[in-house]
Coordinates of all heavy atoms in Angstrom, one line a residue:
M35 N 101.8 293.0 7.7 CA 100.9 292.4 8.7 C 100.4 291.1 8.2 O 99.9 291.0 7.0 CB 99.7 293.3 9.1 CG 100.1 294.6 9.6 SD 100.6 294.7 11.3 CE 99.0 294.4 12.1
H36 N 100.4 290.0 9.0 CA 99.7 288.8 8.6 C 98.8 288.4 9.8 O 99.3 288.1 10.8 CB 100.7 287.7 8.3 CG 100.1 286.4 8.0 ND1 99.6 286.0 6.8 CD2 99.8 285.3 8.9 CE1 99.1 284.8 6.8 NE2 99.2 284.4 8.1
I37 N 97.5 288.6 9.6 CA 96.6 288.5 10.7 C 95.6 287.3 10.5 O 95.1 287.1 9.4 CB 95.7 289.8 10.9 CG1 96.7 290.9 11.1 CG2 94.7 289.6 12.0 CD1 97.6 290.8 12.3
H38 N 95.5 286.5 11.5 CA 94.6 285.4 11.6 C 93.3 285.8 12.3 O 93.4 286.1 13.5 CB 95.4 284.3 12.3 CG 94.7 283.0 12.4 ND1 95.3 281.8 12.1 CD2 93.4 282.7 12.9 CE1 94.4 280.8 12.3 NE2 93.3 281.3 12.8
C39 N 92.2 285.7 11.6 CA 90.9 286.1 12.3 C 90.6 285.1 13.3 O 90.5 283.9 13.0 CB 89.8 286.2 11.2 SG 88.2 286.6 12.0
E40 N 90.4 285.5 14.5 CA 90.1 284.6 15.6 C 88.6 284.1 15.6 O 88.3 283.2 16.3 CB 90.4 285.2 17.0 CG 89.6 286.4 17.4 CD 90.0 287.0 18.6 OE1 91.2 286.8 19.0 OE2 89.3 287.8 19.2
H41 N 87.8 284.7 14.7 CA 86.4 284.3 14.6 C 86.2 283.3 13.5 O 85.5 282.3 13.8 CB 85.6 285.5 14.4 CG 85.7 286.5 15.5 ND1 85.1 286.4 16.7 CD2 86.5 287.6 15.6 CE1 85.5 287.4 17.5 NE2 86.3 288.2 16.8
C42 N 86.7 283.5 12.3 CA 86.4 282.6 11.2 C 87.6 281.8 10.8 O 87.5 280.9 10.0 CB 85.8 283.3 10.0 SG 86.9 284.4 9.2
G43 N 88.8 282.2 11.3 CA 90.0 281.5 10.9 C 90.7 281.9 9.6 O 91.8 281.4 9.3
K44 N 90.1 282.8 8.9 CA 90.7 283.3 7.7 C 91.9 284.2 8.0 O 92.0 284.8 9.0 CB 89.7 284.2 6.9 CG 88.6 283.4 6.2 CD 88.9 283.0 4.8 CE 87.8 282.5 4.0 NZ 86.8 281.6 4.6
T45 N 92.9 284.1 7.1 CA 94.1 284.9 7.3 C 94.2 286.0 6.2 O 93.6 285.8 5.1 CB 95.4 284.1 7.2 OG1 95.4 283.4 6.0 CG2 95.4 283.1 8.4
K46 N 94.8 287.1 6.5 CA 95.0 288.2 5.6 C 96.4 288.8 5.7 O 96.8 289.0 6.8 CB 93.9 289.2 5.9 CG 94.0 290.5 5.1 CD 93.2 290.4 3.8 CE 93.2 291.7 3.1 NZ 93.2 291.5 1.6
T47 N 97.0 289.0 4.6 CA 98.3 289.6 4.6 C 98.2 291.0 3.9 O 97.6 291.1 2.8 CB 99.3 288.8 3.9 OG1 99.4 287.5 4.5 CG2 100.7 289.4 4.0
F48 N 98.6 292.0 4.6 CA 98.5 293.3 4.1 C 99.6 294.2 4.6 O 100.2 293.9 5.6 CB 97.1 293.9 4.4 CG 96.7 294.0 5.8 CD1 96.9 295.1 6.5 CD2 96.3 292.8 6.5 CE1 96.6 295.2 7.9 CE2 96.0 292.9 7.8 CZ 96.1 294.1 8.5
C49 N 99.7 295.4 4.1 CA 100.7 296.4 4.5 C 100.0 297.5 5.3 O 98.9 297.9 4.9 CB 101.4 297.0 3.3 SG 102.7 296.0 2.7
T50 N 100.6 297.9 6.3 CA 100.1 299.1 7.0 C 101.2 299.9 7.6 O 102.2 299.3 8.1 CB 99.0 298.8 8.1 OG1 98.6 300.0 8.7 CG2 99.5 297.8 9.1
K51 N 101.1 301.2 7.5 CA 102.1 302.0 8.2 C 101.7 302.3 9.6 O 102.5 302.9 10.4 CB 102.3 303.3 7.4 CG 103.0 303.0 6.0 CD 103.5 304.3 5.4 CE 104.3 304.1 4.2 NZ 103.6 303.5 3.1
H52 N 100.4 302.1 9.9 CA 99.9 302.5 11.2 C 99.9 301.3 12.1 O 99.7 300.1 11.7 CB 98.5 303.0 11.1 CG 98.4 304.1 10.1 ND1 98.8 305.4 10.3 CD2 97.9 304.0 8.8 CE1 98.6 306.1 9.2 NE2 98.0 305.3 8.3
Q53 N 100.1 301.5 13.4 CA 99.9 300.4 14.4 C 98.5 300.3 14.6 O 97.8 301.2 15.1 CB 100.7 300.9 15.6 CG 100.8 299.7 16.7 CD 101.8 298.7 16.2 OE1 102.8 299.0 15.7 NE2 101.5 297.4 16.5
L54 N 97.9 299.1 14.3 CA 96.5 298.9 14.4 C 96.3 298.2 15.8 O 97.0 297.4 16.2 CB 96.0 298.0 13.3 CG 96.2 298.4 11.9 CD1 95.7 297.4 10.9 CD2 95.4 299.7 11.6
S55 N 95.1 298.5 16.4 CA 94.8 297.8 17.6 C 93.7 296.8 17.4 O 93.5 295.9 18.2 CB 94.3 298.8 18.7 OG 93.3 299.6 18.2
Y56 N 93.0 296.9 16.2 CA 92.0 295.9 15.8 C 92.2 295.6 14.4 O 92.5 296.5 13.6 CB 90.6 296.4 16.1 CG 90.2 296.5 17.5 CD1 90.3 297.6 18.2 CD2 89.6 295.3 18.1 CE1 89.9 297.7 19.6 CE2 89.3 295.3 19.4 CZ 89.4 296.5 20.1 OH 89.0 296.5 21.4
Y57 N 91.8 294.4 14.0 CA 91.7 294.0 12.6 C 90.3 293.7 12.3 O 89.7 292.8 13.0 CB 92.6 292.8 12.3 CG 92.3 292.1 11.0 CD1 92.5 292.8 9.8 CD2 91.8 290.8 11.0 CE1 92.2 292.1 8.6 CE2 91.5 290.2 9.8 CZ 91.7 290.8 8.6 OH 91.3 290.2 7.5
S58 N 89.7 294.4 11.4 CA 88.3 294.0 11.0 C 88.3 293.1 9.8 O 88.8 293.4 8.7 CB 87.6 295.3 10.5 OG 87.4 296.2 11.6
C59 N 87.8 291.9 10.1 CA 87.8 290.8 9.1 C 86.8 291.1 8.0 O 85.6 291.4 8.2 CB 87.5 289.5 9.7 SG 87.4 288.1 8.6
K60 N 87.3 291.0 6.7 CA 86.4 291.3 5.6 C 85.4 290.1 5.3 O 84.4 290.2 4.7 CB 87.2 291.5 4.3 CG 88.1 292.7 4.4 CD 87.7 293.8 3.5 CE 88.6 295.0 3.5 NZ 89.4 295.2 4.7
E61 N 85.8 288.9 5.8 CA 85.0 287.7 5.6 C 83.8 287.6 6.5 O 82.7 287.4 6.1 CB 85.9 286.4 5.8 CG 87.1 286.3 4.9 CD 86.7 286.0 3.4 OE1 85.6 285.4 3.2 OE2 87.4 286.4 2.5
C62 N 84.0 287.8 7.8 CA 83.0 287.6 8.8 C 82.6 288.9 9.5 O 81.6 289.0 10.2 CB 83.4 286.6 9.8 SG 84.7 287.1 10.9
G63 N 83.3 290.0 9.2 CA 82.9 291.3 9.8 C 83.3 291.5 11.3 O 83.1 292.5 11.8
E64 N 83.9 290.4 11.9 CA 84.2 290.5 13.3 C 85.6 291.2 13.5 O 86.4 291.3 12.5 CB 84.3 289.1 13.9 CG 83.0 288.4 13.9 CD 82.0 288.9 15.0 OE1 82.5 289.7 15.9 OE2 80.8 288.6 14.9
K65 N 85.8 291.7 14.7 CA 87.1 292.3 15.0 C 88.0 291.4 15.8 O 87.5 290.7 16.7 CB 86.9 293.6 15.7 CG 86.4 294.8 14.8 CD 86.2 296.0 15.6 CE 85.9 297.2 14.7 NZ 85.6 298.4 15.5
T66 N 89.2 291.4 15.4 CA 90.2 290.6 16.2 C 91.2 291.6 16.8 O 91.7 292.5 16.1 CB 91.0 289.7 15.2 OG1 90.1 288.7 14.7 CG2 92.2 289.0 16.0
E67 N 91.3 291.5 18.1 CA 92.2 292.4 18.8 C 93.6 292.1 18.5 O 94.0 290.9 18.5 CB 91.9 292.3 20.3 CG 92.5 293.5 21.1 CD 92.3 293.4 22.6 OE1 91.4 292.6 23.0 OE2 93.0 294.1 23.3
L68 N 94.4 293.1 18.2 CA 95.8 292.8 17.8 C 96.7 293.2 19.0 O 97.0 294.3 19.3 CB 96.2 293.7 16.6 CG 95.4 293.5 15.3 CD1 95.9 294.3 14.2 CD2 95.4 292.0 14.9
K69 N 97.1 292.1 19.7 CA 97.9 292.3 20.8 C 99.0 291.2 20.8 O 98.7 290.1 20.2 CB 97.2 292.3 22.2 CG 96.2 291.1 22.3 CD 95.6 291.1 23.7 CE 95.1 289.7 24.0 NZ 93.7 289.6 24.0
D70 N 100.1 291.4 21.5 CA 101.2 290.4 21.5 C 101.6 289.9 20.1 O 101.8 288.8 19.8 CB 100.8 289.1 22.3 CG 100.4 289.5 23.7 OD1 101.0 290.5 24.3 OD2 99.5 288.9 24.3
L71 N 101.6 290.9 19.2 CA 102.0 290.6 17.8 C 103.5 290.1 17.8 O 104.3 290.7 18.5 CB 101.8 291.8 16.9 CG 100.4 292.2 16.7 CD1 100.3 293.4 15.8 CD2 99.5 291.1 16.1
K72 N 103.8 289.2 16.9 CA 105.1 288.7 16.8 C 105.7 289.1 15.5 O 105.0 289.2 14.5 CB 105.2 287.2 16.9 CG 104.6 286.6 18.2 CD 104.7 285.1 18.2 CE 104.0 284.5 19.4 NZ 102.6 284.3 19.1
L73 N 107.0 289.3 15.5 CA 107.7 289.7 14.3 C 108.0 288.4 13.5 O 108.3 287.3 14.0 CB 109.1 290.3 14.6 CG 109.1 291.8 14.6 CD1 110.5 292.2 15.1 CD2 108.8 292.4 13.3
A74 N 107.8 288.5 12.2 CA 108.2 287.4 11.3 C 109.1 287.9 10.2 O 108.8 288.9 9.5 CB 106.9 286.8 10.6
F75 N 110.3 287.3 10.1 CA 111.2 287.7 9.1 C 111.2 286.7 7.9 O 111.5 285.6 8.1 CB 112.6 287.7 9.7 CG 112.9 288.9 10.6 CD1 112.8 288.7 12.0 CD2 113.1 290.2 10.1 CE1 113.0 289.8 12.8 CE2 113.3 291.3 10.9 CZ 113.2 291.1 12.3
I76 N 110.8 287.3 6.7 CA 110.8 286.5 5.5 C 112.0 286.7 4.7 O 112.3 287.9 4.4 CB 109.5 286.8 4.7 CG1 108.3 286.3 5.5 CG2 109.6 286.1 3.3 CD1 107.0 286.5 4.7
N77 N 112.7 285.6 4.3 CA 113.8 285.7 3.4 C 113.5 284.9 2.2 O 113.7 283.7 2.2 CB 115.1 285.2 4.2 CG 116.3 285.3 3.3 OD1 116.3 285.8 2.2 ND2 117.4 284.7 3.8
C78 N 112.8 285.5 1.3 CA 112.2 284.7 0.1 C 113.3 284.4 -0.9 O 114.3 285.1 -1.0 CB 111.1 285.5 -0.5 SG 110.3 284.7 -1.9
E79 N 113.1 283.3 -1.6 CA 114.0 282.9 -2.7 C 114.1 283.9 -3.8 O 115.1 283.9 -4.5 CB 113.5 281.6 -3.3 CG 113.7 280.4 -2.4 CD 113.2 279.1 -3.0 OE1 112.8 279.1 -4.1 OE2 113.2 278.1 -2.3
C80 N 113.1 284.8 -3.9 CA 113.2 285.8 -4.9 C 114.2 287.0 -4.5 O 114.4 287.9 -5.3 CB 111.8 286.4 -5.3 SG 111.1 287.5 -4.0
G81 N 114.7 286.9 -3.3 CA 115.6 287.9 -2.8 C 115.0 288.9 -1.9 O 115.7 289.8 -1.4
S82 N 113.7 288.8 -1.7 CA 113.0 289.8 -0.9 C 113.3 289.5 0.6 O 113.3 288.4 1.1 CB 111.5 289.8 -1.1 OG 111.2 290.1 -2.4
W83 N 113.5 290.6 1.3 CA 113.6 290.5 2.8 C 112.4 291.3 3.3 O 112.2 292.5 3.0 CB 114.8 291.2 3.3 CG 116.0 290.3 3.2 CD1 116.9 290.3 2.2 CD2 116.5 289.4 4.2 NE1 117.9 289.4 2.4 CE2 117.7 288.8 3.7 CE3 116.1 289.1 5.5 CZ2 118.4 287.9 4.4 CZ3 116.8 288.1 6.2 CH2 118.0 287.6 5.6
L84 N 111.5 290.6 4.0 CA 110.3 291.3 4.5 C 110.1 291.1 6.0 O 110.6 290.1 6.6 CB 109.0 290.7 3.8 CG 109.0 290.7 2.3 CD1 108.0 289.8 1.8 CD2 108.8 292.1 1.8
R85 N 109.5 292.1 6.6 CA 109.3 292.0 8.0 C 107.8 292.2 8.3 O 107.3 293.2 7.9 CB 110.1 293.2 8.7 CG 110.3 293.0 10.2 CD 111.1 294.2 10.7 NE 110.2 295.3 10.6 CZ 110.1 296.3 11.6 NH1 110.8 296.2 12.7 NH2 109.3 297.3 11.4
Y86 N 107.2 291.2 8.8 CA 105.8 291.2 9.1 C 105.5 291.2 10.6 O 106.3 290.7 11.3 CB 105.0 290.0 8.5 CG 104.9 289.9 7.0 CD1 105.6 290.7 6.2 CD2 104.1 289.0 6.5 CE1 105.5 290.6 4.8 CE2 103.9 288.9 5.1 CZ 104.6 289.7 4.3 OH 104.5 289.6 2.9
F87 N 104.4 291.7 11.0 CA 103.8 291.4 12.3 C 102.7 290.4 12.1 O 101.9 290.5 11.2 CB 103.3 292.7 13.0 CG 104.4 293.5 13.6 CD1 104.8 294.7 12.9 CD2 104.9 293.2 14.8 CE1 105.8 295.5 13.5 CE2 105.9 294.0 15.3 CZ 106.4 295.1 14.7
T88 N 102.6 289.5 13.0 CA 101.6 288.5 12.9 C 101.0 288.1 14.3 O 101.7 288.2 15.3 CB 102.1 287.2 12.2 OG1 101.1 286.2 12.1 CG2 103.3 286.6 13.0
N89 N 99.8 287.7 14.3 CA 99.2 287.2 15.5 C 99.1 285.7 15.5 O 98.3 285.1 16.3 CB 97.8 287.9 15.8 CG 96.8 287.4 14.8 OD1 97.1 286.9 13.7 ND2 95.5 287.6 15.1
E90 N 99.7 285.0 14.6 CA 99.7 283.6 14.6 C 100.4 283.0 15.9 O 101.2 283.7 16.5 CB 100.5 283.0 13.4 CG 99.9 283.4 12.0 CD 98.8 282.4 11.6 OE1 98.4 281.6 12.5 OE2 98.3 282.5 10.5
T91 N 99.9 281.8 16.3 CA 100.5 281.2 17.5 C 101.1 279.9 17.2 O 101.7 279.3 18.1 CB 99.4 281.1 18.6 OG1 98.3 280.3 18.0 CG2 98.9 282.4 19.0
A92 N 100.9 279.3 16.0 CA 101.5 278.0 15.7 C 103.0 278.1 15.6 O 103.6 279.2 15.4 CB 100.9 277.5 14.4
D93 N 103.7 277.0 15.8 CA 105.2 276.9 15.7 C 105.6 277.1 14.2 O 106.6 277.7 13.9 CB 105.7 275.6 16.2 CG 105.8 275.6 17.7 OD1 105.7 276.7 18.3 OD2 106.0 274.5 18.3
L94 N 104.8 276.5 13.3 CA 105.1 276.6 11.9 C 104.0 277.3 11.2 O 102.8 277.0 11.4 CB 105.2 275.2 11.3 CG 106.4 274.3 11.8 CD1 106.3 272.9 11.3 CD2 107.7 274.9 11.4
I95 N 104.4 278.3 10.4 CA 103.4 279.0 9.7 C 103.9 279.3 8.2 O 105.1 279.0 8.0 CB 103.0 280.4 10.3 CG1 104.3 281.3 10.4 CG2 102.4 280.3 11.7 CD1 103.9 282.7 10.8
E96 N 103.0 279.6 7.4 CA 103.4 279.9 6.0 C 102.8 281.2 5.6 O 101.6 281.5 5.7 CB 102.8 278.8 5.1 CG 103.6 278.5 3.9 CD 103.2 277.3 3.1 OE1 102.0 277.3 2.6 OE2 103.9 276.3 3.1
L97 N 103.7 282.1 5.1 CA 103.3 283.4 4.7 C 103.7 283.6 3.2 O 104.6 283.0 2.8 CB 104.0 284.5 5.5 CG 103.8 284.6 7.0 CD1 104.4 285.8 7.6 CD2 102.3 284.6 7.3
N98 N 102.9 284.4 2.5 CA 103.2 284.6 1.1 C 104.1 285.8 1.0 O 103.8 286.9 1.6 CB 101.9 284.8 0.3 CG 101.1 283.6 0.2 OD1 101.7 282.5 0.1 ND2 99.8 283.7 0.2
C99 N 105.1 285.7 0.2 CA 105.9 286.8 -0.1 C 105.1 287.9 -0.8 O 104.4 287.6 -1.7 CB 107.1 286.4 -1.0 SG 108.1 287.7 -1.6
I100 N 105.2 289.1 -0.4 CA 104.4 290.2 -0.9 C 104.8 290.6 -2.3 O 104.1 291.2 -3.1 CB 104.3 291.4 0.1 CG1 102.9 291.9 0.1 CG2 105.3 292.4 -0.2 CD1 102.5 292.6 1.4
N101 N 106.1 290.3 -2.6 CA 106.6 290.6 -3.9 C 106.4 289.6 -5.0 O 106.0 289.9 -6.1 CB 108.1 290.9 -3.8 CG 108.4 292.2 -3.1 OD1 107.7 293.2 -3.2 ND2 109.4 292.2 -2.3
C102 N 106.6 288.3 -4.7 CA 106.4 287.3 -5.8 C 105.3 286.4 -5.5 O 104.9 285.6 -6.4 CB 107.7 286.5 -5.9 SG 108.1 285.4 -4.5
G103 N 104.7 286.4 -4.3 CA 103.5 285.6 -4.1 C 103.7 284.2 -3.6 O 102.8 283.5 -3.3
M104 N 105.0 283.8 -3.6 CA 105.4 282.5 -3.2 C 105.2 282.3 -1.7 O 105.5 283.2 -0.9 CB 106.8 282.2 -3.6 CG 107.1 282.0 -5.1 SD 106.5 280.4 -5.6 CE 107.7 279.3 -5.0
P105 N 104.7 281.1 -1.3 CA 104.6 280.8 0.1 C 106.0 280.6 0.7 O 106.8 279.9 0.1 CB 103.7 279.6 0.2 CG 103.8 278.9 -1.1 CD 104.1 280.0 -2.1
V106 N 106.2 281.1 1.9 CA 107.5 281.0 2.6 C 107.2 280.3 3.9 O 106.3 280.8 4.7 CB 108.2 282.3 2.8 CG1 109.5 282.2 3.5 CG2 108.4 283.0 1.4
A107 N 107.9 279.2 4.3 CA 107.7 278.5 5.5 C 108.5 279.2 6.6 O 109.7 279.5 6.4 CB 108.1 277.1 5.4
L108 N 107.8 279.4 7.8 CA 108.5 280.1 8.9 C 108.3 279.2 10.1 O 107.3 278.5 10.3 CB 107.9 281.4 9.2 CG 107.9 282.4 8.0 CD1 107.0 283.6 8.3 CD2 109.3 282.9 7.7
K109 N 109.4 279.3 11.0 CA 109.3 278.6 12.2 C 109.5 279.5 13.4 O 110.3 280.5 13.3 CB 110.5 277.5 12.2 CG 110.4 276.6 13.4 CD 111.6 275.6 13.3 CE 111.4 274.4 14.2 NZ 111.0 274.7 15.5
Y110 N 108.8 279.3 14.5 CA 108.9 280.2 15.6 C 110.2 279.9 16.4 O 110.4 278.7 16.7 CB 107.7 280.0 16.5 CG 107.6 281.1 17.6 CD1 107.6 282.4 17.3 CD2 107.7 280.7 19.0 CE1 107.6 283.4 18.3 CE2 107.7 281.6 20.0 CZ 107.6 283.0 19.6 OH 107.6 283.9 20.6
N111 N 110.9 281.0 16.7 CA 112.1 280.8 17.5 C 111.8 281.4 18.8 O 111.7 282.6 19.1 CB 113.3 281.6 16.8 CG 114.6 281.5 17.6 OD1 114.6 281.4 18.8 ND2 115.7 281.5 16.8
A112 N 111.6 280.4 19.8 CA 111.2 280.8 21.1 C 112.2 281.7 21.9 O 111.8 282.5 22.7 CB 110.8 279.6 21.9
K113 N 113.5 281.5 21.6 CA 114.5 282.3 22.2 C 114.4 283.7 21.8 O 114.5 284.7 22.6 CB 115.9 281.7 21.9 CG 116.3 280.6 22.8 CD 117.7 280.2 22.6 CE 118.0 278.8 23.2 NZ 119.2 278.2 22.5
K114 N 114.3 283.9 20.5 CA 114.3 285.3 19.9 C 112.9 285.9 19.9 O 112.7 287.0 19.7 CB 114.8 285.3 18.5 CG 116.3 284.9 18.4 CD 116.8 285.1 17.0 CE 118.1 284.4 16.8 NZ 118.4 284.3 15.3
K115 N 111.9 285.0 20.2 CA 110.5 285.4 20.2 C 110.1 286.0 18.8 O 109.4 287.1 18.8 CB 110.2 286.4 21.3 CG 110.3 285.8 22.7 CD 109.8 286.7 23.8 CE 109.7 286.0 25.1 NZ 110.9 285.4 25.6
L116 N 110.5 285.3 17.8 CA 110.1 285.8 16.4 C 110.1 284.6 15.5 O 110.6 283.5 15.8 CB 111.0 286.9 15.9 CG 112.5 286.7 16.0 CD1 113.0 285.8 14.8 CD2 113.2 288.1 15.9
Y117 N 109.4 284.8 14.3 CA 109.4 283.8 13.3 C 110.5 284.0 12.3 O 110.8 285.1 11.9 CB 108.0 283.8 12.5 CG 106.9 283.3 13.3 CD1 106.0 284.1 14.0 CD2 106.7 281.9 13.3 CE1 104.9 283.6 14.7 CE2 105.6 281.4 14.0 CZ 104.7 282.2 14.7 OH 103.7 281.7 15.4
E118 N 111.2 282.9 12.0 CA 112.3 283.0 11.0 C 112.0 282.0 9.9 O 111.4 281.0 10.0 CB 113.6 282.5 11.7 CG 114.1 283.4 12.8 CD 115.3 282.8 13.5 OE1 115.4 281.5 13.6 OE2 116.2 283.6 13.8
T119 N 112.5 282.4 8.7 CA 112.4 281.6 7.5 C 113.1 280.3 7.7 O 114.3 280.3 8.2 CB 113.0 282.4 6.3 OG1 112.3 283.6 6.2 CG2 112.8 281.5 5.0
I120 N 112.5 279.2 7.3 CA 113.1 277.9 7.4 C 114.0 277.8 6.1 O 113.5 277.9 5.0 CB 112.1 276.8 7.4 CG1 111.3 276.9 8.7 CG2 112.8 275.4 7.3 CD1 110.1 275.9 8.7
R121 N 115.3 277.5 6.4 CA 116.2 277.4 5.2 C 116.3 275.9 4.9 O 116.5 275.1 5.7 CB 117.6 277.9 5.7 CG 117.6 279.4 5.8 CD 118.3 280.0 4.6 NE 117.7 281.2 4.1 CZ 117.2 281.3 2.9 NH1 117.3 280.3 2.1 NH2 116.7 282.5 2.5
S122 N 116.2 275.7 3.6 CA 116.3 274.3 3.1 C 117.7 273.9 2.7 O 118.5 274.8 2.5 CB 115.3 274.0 2.0 OG 115.5 274.9 1.0
Ligands
ZN146 ZN1 86.8 286.5 10.2
ZN147 ZN1 109.4 286.4 -3.0

């Protein structure tokens, strides 16, 4: 999960096996409703394939690989309705 707090703007990347309906922000204590989450496919240079859910709405986002910590640039694919890794 990669969640953008709608109250303070902080982002958090974490793993969860449960489908959450709310994200409680550790920074400001407010809750962000998790709806219309989009899939983000990370194909990191370290060889990791990761699948995140995110509530980001920007066309371009950057997520950190959970294995090596490197930032990975993603672009929203409106046809597929998901974020894909930008290949250089
Ligand atoms: Zn917050
Ligand atoms: Zn990586």
Side-chain angles (χ1 to χ4, degrees):
M35 304 278 287
H36 176 83
I37 302 303
H38 181 128
C39 175
E40 64 188 17
H41 302 281
C42 68
K44 288 268 196 316
T45 57
K46 173 92 177 145
T47 304
F48 58 98
C49 282
T50 177
K51 291 193 170 67
H52 309 285
Q53 190 73 40
L54 303 174
S55 54
Y56 286 95
Y57 163 67
S58 292
C59 179
K60 300 250 182 337
E61 300 289 334
C62 67
E64 296 286 347
K65 283 181 175 175
T66 296
E67 196 180 344
L68 301 180
K69 52 173 197 255
D70 301 327
L71 294 179
K72 300 183 187 83
L73 266 174
F75 287 101
I76 291 183
N77 180 5
C78 182
E79 287 177 7
C80 74
S82 297
W83 281 90
L84 303 165
R85 200 182 64 138
Y86 289 12
F87 279 103
T88 182
N89 68 342
E90 294 280 8
T91 54
D93 279 348
L94 294 171
I95 61 172
E96 209 169 68
L97 301 185
N98 289 326
C99 172
I100 218 152
N101 288 324
C102 70
M104 287 285 286
V106 179
L108 302 169
K109 189 179 194 315
Y110 187 61
N111 183 323
K113 277 188 195 156
K114 297 186 193 168
K115 295 187 167 60
L116 50 79
Y117 285 98
E118 292 177 325
T119 302
I120 298 171
R121 289 255 141 239
S122 54

